[in-house]
Amino acid sequence: MRSLSFKLIISFLVVSLVGTLLVAVLAGQATADEFGQFVFDRDLESLASQAGEYYQIHGHWGGADEVRWQGTRSMMPGGMNQGSGRGMGPGGMMAIADVNGVVVLSGAGHRVGEKLAPVEIAQGKAIESEGEFVGTVYVRPISFRPSLAEEAFLARVNRILLLATVIATGVALVLGVLIARALTQPLRELTVATRAVAAGDLAQQVAVRSQDELGELAHSFNQMSADLVRARDTRRQMTADIAHELRTPLSIILGHAEALHDGVLPPTQETFYIIHDEAQRLNRQIEDLRTLTLADAGELSLTRRLSAPGAMLERAAAAHAPHAAQKGISLELDVAPDLPEIDVDPDRMAQVISNLLDNALRYTPSGQRVRLSALKGEKTVRLVIQDSGPGIAAEQLGRIFDRFYRADKSRQRDEGGSGLGLAIAKSLVLRHQGQIWAESQPGQGSAFIVELPAAGG
Ligand code: ADP
């Protein structure tokens, strides 16, 4: 496999070679043509001037075919060494016509007495004698036959063109190598970095050197690499958290079972109650994890139905009423009139509200209140669960939706929270194209707001 640099260099070389060769050939051809025309014009001029002198001396054209006209060499089909102006006849190179265009010196395909065509007179050169127009010299244009000196001149021109081609190719080669190296440098870096990622070293970043497609590629690679690192760290953290979370109830169950087995603990109702309670917590955590994993993978199926937000809050309040009463907390309901319906999976949404309400009841002290409100937003419906708990510090507001995050680790685990309630709520709300966030001032309670698109909005 040839490298990209090699292919680029070859491409540059081929393009420059074709370009310079084309220029050289065209320039060579054009030079030869132009030079031929120049010599032809010069000789025609010279013939006209010789003819003018001849006429000036003789006053007529008689005997002109005896003259050795200088300058017809370059006009000879056979080149400089053949023919001369003498005795040309109709097969000769030049013809002279008088003032009326009648041929007086035969040549260029014309006999004496014939008339030159107007176009031939136009192509010919006017002969003047003492400022008077006395005739026309006409030479039929033929291909240029250079003299030895002229041939040498053209050969010199061709040599220079060839040299220019060689130099241009050399320069193209050097530039091609430099440009190809510069162009492929980011690709080489990317290849090294990609191999490192494939080998498991995910934290790779390459330099973004340009704003073009290669720069974009480097930028995307850096982004991908950073995402991979983040995903790996999250997975590691998750695995550690899950192991940690499951170990707590499991070790309690094991400890009690062993104590029972060894006769250290009496098999009382309370012991079995503790074991049952911890097993239930374990079950709940595993179920929460399953829900979260499915929601994250987008595999949690939603059975959407048009639902009235007010009725959903009422059902949640009714379900938690005994718990609230038990804690001496008053549950208040505040549903705005004319609320639009929302297109949601009622069971999943009930789970979201239940998770939020569970927390609100958990953190609200006895004798206080928890308020459930449904408000109308712009093309949305907002469900707000406002408690009278301790509130949440600003620096924790952004983190409480993370899985296994607990503001106060020891206390809340004892109170039965899995640390997954808000993560599940967020995941479910996002699956409904909604948003969820918390607003809180420490000491003044917290409000959890779920905003969902209004149906038909
Ligand atoms: P947990 O099962 O521990 O309650 P969550 O995901 O439901 O897990 O909540 C994460 C953390 O957010 C809680 O440990 C607590 O620190 C904080 N939190 C949640 N709801 C409230 C609330 N209503 N008042 C104060 N803090 C709260």
Side-chain angles (χ1 to χ4, degrees), residues 35 39 42 73-74 79-81 144-156:
F35 187 64
V39 173
R42 186 197 62 191
R73 273 192 333 232
S74 67
M80 66 158 291
N81 298 324
F144 168 57
R145 301 287 168 189
S147 68
L148 278 180
E150 289 156 357
E151 248 173 13
F153 168 75
L154 286 177
R156 261 200 321 277

Side-chain angles (χ1 to χ4, degrees), residues 74-98:
S74 67
M75 299 160 171
M76 289 293 185
M80 66 158 291
N81 298 324
Q82 290 180 30
S84 70
R86 184 190 277 275
M88 292 182 202
M93 287 301 99
M94 63 180 279
I96 294 178
D98 63 11

Side-chain angles (χ1 to χ4, degrees), residues 102-147:
V102 177
V103 174
V104 291
L105 173 70
S106 65
H110 290 288
R111 292 173 187 285
V112 172
E114 284 179 10
K115 277 200 97 169
L116 286 184
V119 59
E120 291 172 329
I121 292 178
Q123 281 174 358
K125 183 83 188 164
I127 305 169
E128 289 181 3
S129 170
E130 297 181 322
E132 287 278 311
F133 172 67
V134 293
T136 305
V137 58
Y138 171 70
V139 176
R140 182 183 289 166
I142 49 148
S143 63
F144 168 57
R145 301 287 168 189
S147 68

